[in-house]
Amino acid sequence: MLPKQKPVRDLLEYAPIGRESWFGCGGVAERLLEPASISELQAFLRSSFFPSPYTLIGGLANTIVRDGGVKGLTIRLGKGCDSIHVLDETTLEIEAGALNGSVAAAALKAGIAGLEFLSGIPGRIGGAVAMNAGAYGTEMKDVLVSVQGMTTQGQEWNGVPAMSYRHTDLPEDTIVTSVILRGVKENYETIKARMNEIKTKRNATQPIKEHTGGSTFANPLDEDLIQAGLEPGLRAWQIVERVGGRGLKIGGAMMSEQHCNFMINTGNACAADLENLGEEIRKRVLDQCGLDLRWEIKRIGVSL
């Protein structure tokens, strides 16, 4: 039997999710639900208390929460929805609230290779699947076996979604609740060495000690580069640099000097500074290069 649903009156009101994001700025969630388990989430969704629409968030590692906050209901899967189970010598079953780094560590302990890239991706596994996150030559689609989700009516869904660069084709209004990932059997020392290599490279090339949100813009597809008259293979950071974006500042937001596809809060940025800086870069790229540079960072909520 499912546990008793959590009534709306118990939802956290005006939760400071902007301050809790990796950028450390932005507005509040009008009402925030953090279910203690997947079954509690299901009970809530099936109840008459569920208000639609809703906003789903994870670790807020790659999200700008606009200064006006998020209206209505926000759902965050985290502690209590973060179990990791080893199914066999190559396979893990992971709840959506598990941190990507925790998944990589669990795979290391189990002697499962192929998931090391997750150690270099901030955030939680549900978000990583939803956007087909990737790094260091591997994407979620390369290791995903299946997804279990839940509709806004609390009905379960299982399947293998189509995935492309930074996109997963999930059914509309489906919340990812757990995933099965598969790697290959490998010895601990070999996996650990790869994870150390990723850590060293990340420390050397990314502003990980700053208030940042990871890659700001997705790398453009070759066909889009060719259509714009640009050379295939150009990375987003190279395009940002080409239009004078490295070190560019608006208010308290700045494109990192260390990695110019990373946006940072220098200490006093508001969410509008961050979004305006990103839009200024996009305008320059469109005007100077004829290319529509696509945001990789999510932006949620309303502006002031």
Side-chain angles (χ1 to χ4, degrees), residues 48-65:
S48 59
F49 295 112
F50 177 64
S52 185
Y54 68 94
T55 300
L56 181 67
I57 61 173
L60 294 172
N62 69 330
T63 304
I64 293 172
V65 181

Side-chain angles (χ1 to χ4, degrees), residues 236-290:
W237 73 265
Q238 293 172 304
I239 297 169
V240 172
E241 188 165 51
R242 184 172 292 191
V243 299
R246 187 180 295 274
L248 183 66
K249 291 186 69 175
I250 290 182
M254 182 176 78
M255 300 307 294
S256 171
E257 294 275 8
Q258 184 178 11
H259 192 313
C260 62
N261 195 28
F262 279 64
M263 185 186 297
I264 62 175
N265 175 0
T266 62
N268 62 343
C270 61
D273 292 341
L274 296 165
E275 190 164 14
N276 289 341
L277 176 58
E279 288 299 327
E280 171 62 21
I281 295 289
R282 294 183 70 243
K283 181 179 184 300
R284 290 188 183 193
V285 171
L286 186 61
D287 291 346
Q288 297 178 34
C289 304

Side-chain angles (χ1 to χ4, degrees), residues 85-93 106-107 109-113 145 180-185:
H85 298 294
V86 179
L87 298 182
D88 58 42
E89 63 180 7
T90 63
T91 312
L92 296 173
E93 183 175 23
K109 184 177 179 180
I112 299 174
V145 176
I180 295 178
L181 304 182
R182 178 173 294 139
V184 296
K185 190 66 181 173

Side-chain angles (χ1 to χ4, degrees), residues 58-213:
L60 294 172
N62 69 330
T63 304
I64 293 172
V65 181
R66 293 185 174 116
D67 298 303
V70 182
K71 306 303 180 184
L73 175 68
T74 299
I75 300 173
R76 176 162 61 189
L77 301 185
K79 190 175 181 181
C81 302
D82 58 353
S83 67
I84 302 172
H85 298 294
V86 179
L87 298 182
D88 58 42
E89 63 180 7
T90 63
T91 312
L92 296 173
E93 183 175 23
I94 307 142
E95 287 188 332
L99 293 168
N100 296 328
S102 298
V103 175
L108 169 64
K109 184 177 179 180
I112 299 174
L115 306 182
E116 299 92 325
F117 75 104
L118 288 169
S119 66
I121 300 176
R124 300 182 185 274
I125 205 71
V129 169
M131 67 172 291
N132 186 25
Y136 309 103
T138 307
E139 295 178 316
M140 289 301 299
K141 69 181 180 64
D142 300 322
V143 296
L144 183 71
V145 176
S146 64
V147 174
Q148 182 167 337
M150 200 171 292
T151 70
T152 52
Q153 290 75 43
Q155 301 302 311
E156 295 181 3
W157 177 86
N158 292 277
V160 184
M163 305 175 84
S164 56
Y165 179 67
R166 299 300 175 266
H167 176 75
T168 299
D169 190 16
L170 290 164
E172 188 176 357
D173 289 333
T174 296
I175 299 170
V176 174
T177 55
S178 67
V179 302
I180 295 178
L181 304 182
R182 178 173 294 139
V184 296
K185 190 66 181 173
E186 185 66 272
N187 66 72
Y188 179 95
E189 290 75 17
T190 301
I191 301 171
K192 183 64 174 176
R194 290 182 188 139
M195 288 178 65
N196 286 339
E197 183 180 347
I198 287 172
K199 182 178 180 181
T200 298
K201 185 174 182 179
R202 187 167 177 242
N203 289 345
T205 60
Q206 299 179 12
I208 60 173
K209 295 182 180 180
E210 307 286 351
H211 287 294
T212 186

